[in-house]
Amino acid sequence: MNLEIKVISNINQLKTIEKKWEAILAQNNYPSIALTPQWFTIWWKIRQKKSKKRLYILICLKDNKLIAVFPFYWCRTKYRKIPIRRLSFMVDGISPHADFIIADENREDAIHALLRYLVTNKEFWDVTILDKFQDNATRNLLFKMLTSYNLYYGIQPSLRIPIITIDKSWDLFWSQRSTRFKKSMRNKLNRLKRYGSISVEKVENPNKLIDALPSIFKVSSLSWKGKIKRAITDSPIELAFYKTFTPFGAKMRWVNIWLLKYNNEPIAYEYHLIYNKTVYPLRADFDENYRYLSPGSILEYYILKDMFEKREYDTYYSCADDYFYLRNWTNNFENLYRIDIFNNKMLSYLLYLEEYNVIPKLRKITILRKIKDYIILRRRQ
């Protein structure tokens, strides 16, 4: 058996392995839009011009056959204010999650090959950061193998993703919501009926999707995020992503946009990615001027109702953290993690000790001091 790791440093090289990459995804139990070669190609192209990051995708070949893809980039950055060379997953706030792309039967061989490569080439990296890593067999196997390669690592929570499984009728699903939440939603819906010019639209036609982009950009700029400069239009990279991915995704039938309109003007939207019968609501905003109509909640209600009634999809993967309003809709979650891997050089080892030994102890001491101060204060009262 001949295992070999090669580096892809030019995005155009991905074309040469695209079909083989897709074949591996098709074999996996959880193929995702955020693991496709098309996703990473667009992700990288909108970042490479103004970024100091270098593409560093590692591919694993077994007897000259592709068995794994490790979607990384390399950069110089800081870790706890210390300059380092970092190898990272190709993820950011837009990405739903991340993982290695490995054919199931080759998982152990591929991870061995990756770790041997990292140990052998430790001069080019100090810390490898795997953010938004899914909680799965690959992650668990990675943990078991890291110590055997004399690599230090730490793990911390990244996101807790609410997930809605679309596996029953709408009436049954709705009946399972809390009494308090259903009463609140009924009040919102009844209030909305007093405004006869409200409508909901699902945009799926490729040309209409592109035409809808200015509307969602406007709503985003008028949302609460716009007030703190977190609207789509405030981020050149995020703006470029939606402008670039939407035309491509529309042709692939990977995108739709839901709009809530008042007097035929959009006041709320959800931007959806669609892949393998899974819906990824990548972004949602509403116009703050219409907060009194609860436009975000209303649009979510109609979207989910439509999904359960039509049963076109299996899963609504919220792409958000464990926000209180999403807990009204589900008690099913997927935990994502950030894994920091440190090589065995002195600098990396000291960073590991600081992040996963010293700082946690200091936090415990601080908490204990606060508890002690609180007890003393209560006794004095």
Side-chain angles (χ1 to χ4, degrees), residues 90-326:
M90 293 170 66
V91 296
D92 58 10
I94 294 174
S95 308
H97 50 232
D99 204 344
F100 300 147
I101 296 93
I102 306 177
D104 288 343
E105 68 276 12
N106 293 300
R107 186 180 287 118
E108 188 168 345
D109 288 340
I111 295 177
H112 270 302
L114 169 66
L115 295 181
R116 278 198 295 270
Y117 180 88
L118 292 178
V119 169
T120 304
N121 296 276
K122 62 184 180 182
E123 297 306 318
F124 87 95
W125 68 281
D126 300 303
V127 184
T128 294
I129 297 178
L130 310 176
D131 198 9
K132 293 189 175 181
F133 207 133
Q134 294 177 270
D135 186 2
N136 56 22
T138 299
R139 192 204 69 153
N140 296 334
L141 183 59
L142 176 66
F143 287 162
K144 291 179 181 179
M145 297 169 65
L146 278 167
T147 51
S148 64
Y149 282 88
N150 200 23
L151 293 170
Y152 305 98
Y153 72 92
I155 181 170
Q156 50 190 289
S158 180
L159 288 174
R160 189 167 184 252
I161 305 288
I163 297 173
I164 300 172
T165 303
I166 305 167
D167 60 352
K168 54 180 69 73
S169 70
W170 167 253
D171 289 340
L172 178 56
F173 175 75
W174 180 244
S175 71
Q176 294 171 339
R177 302 308 100 208
S178 72
T179 301
R180 182 178 179 181
F181 174 60
K182 286 187 288 187
K183 180 180 178 181
S184 173
M185 278 305 308
R186 280 194 293 267
N187 289 338
K188 291 175 182 178
L189 292 166
N190 289 333
R191 183 170 64 241
L192 194 70
K193 289 177 182 177
R194 298 198 292 268
Y195 300 85
S197 50
I198 294 289
S199 61
V200 176
E201 180 183 355
K202 181 182 181 183
V203 183
E204 297 180 282
N205 178 278
N207 293 327
K208 290 184 177 180
L209 280 166
I210 297 169
D211 293 340
L213 287 179
S215 294
I216 73 170
F217 297 157
K218 180 180 178 181
V219 171
S220 184
S221 67
L222 294 172
S223 70
W224 65 269
K225 296 173 191 173
K227 294 180 180 180
I228 59 172
K229 301 300 180 182
R230 286 177 55 192
I232 293 175
T233 48
D234 293 316
S235 168
I237 285 179
E238 196 167 359
L239 184 63
F241 172 83
Y242 286 101
K243 286 184 175 180
T244 306
F245 191 87
T246 303
F248 168 78
K251 292 178 182 178
M252 299 290 291
R253 300 291 177 179
W254 285 359
V255 175
N256 64 44
I257 297 174
W258 285 82
L259 299 172
L260 181 68
K261 295 183 176 181
Y262 178 72
N263 287 335
N264 211 34
E265 280 294 317
I267 62 172
Y269 75 88
E270 271 196 23
Y271 184 102
H272 288 182
L273 302 179
I274 312 294
Y275 188 81
N276 194 42
K277 291 195 172 183
T278 298
V279 176
Y280 301 86
L282 207 60
R283 177 96 187 200
D285 290 306
F286 66 86
D287 187 335
E288 274 287 307
N289 295 310
Y290 297 92
R291 176 178 283 274
Y292 64 96
L293 291 177
S294 303
S297 299
I298 295 296
L299 183 56
E300 189 84 346
Y301 171 87
Y302 280 113
I303 289 171
L304 291 174
K305 187 173 185 291
D306 182 85
M307 288 182 182
F308 275 90
E309 289 179 342
K310 293 183 178 177
R311 302 290 289 276
E312 296 174 323
Y313 315 113
D314 295 333
T315 308
Y316 182 85
Y317 189 94
S318 71
C319 298
D321 209 348
D322 182 12
Y323 297 130
F324 72 94
Y325 62 88
L326 287 170

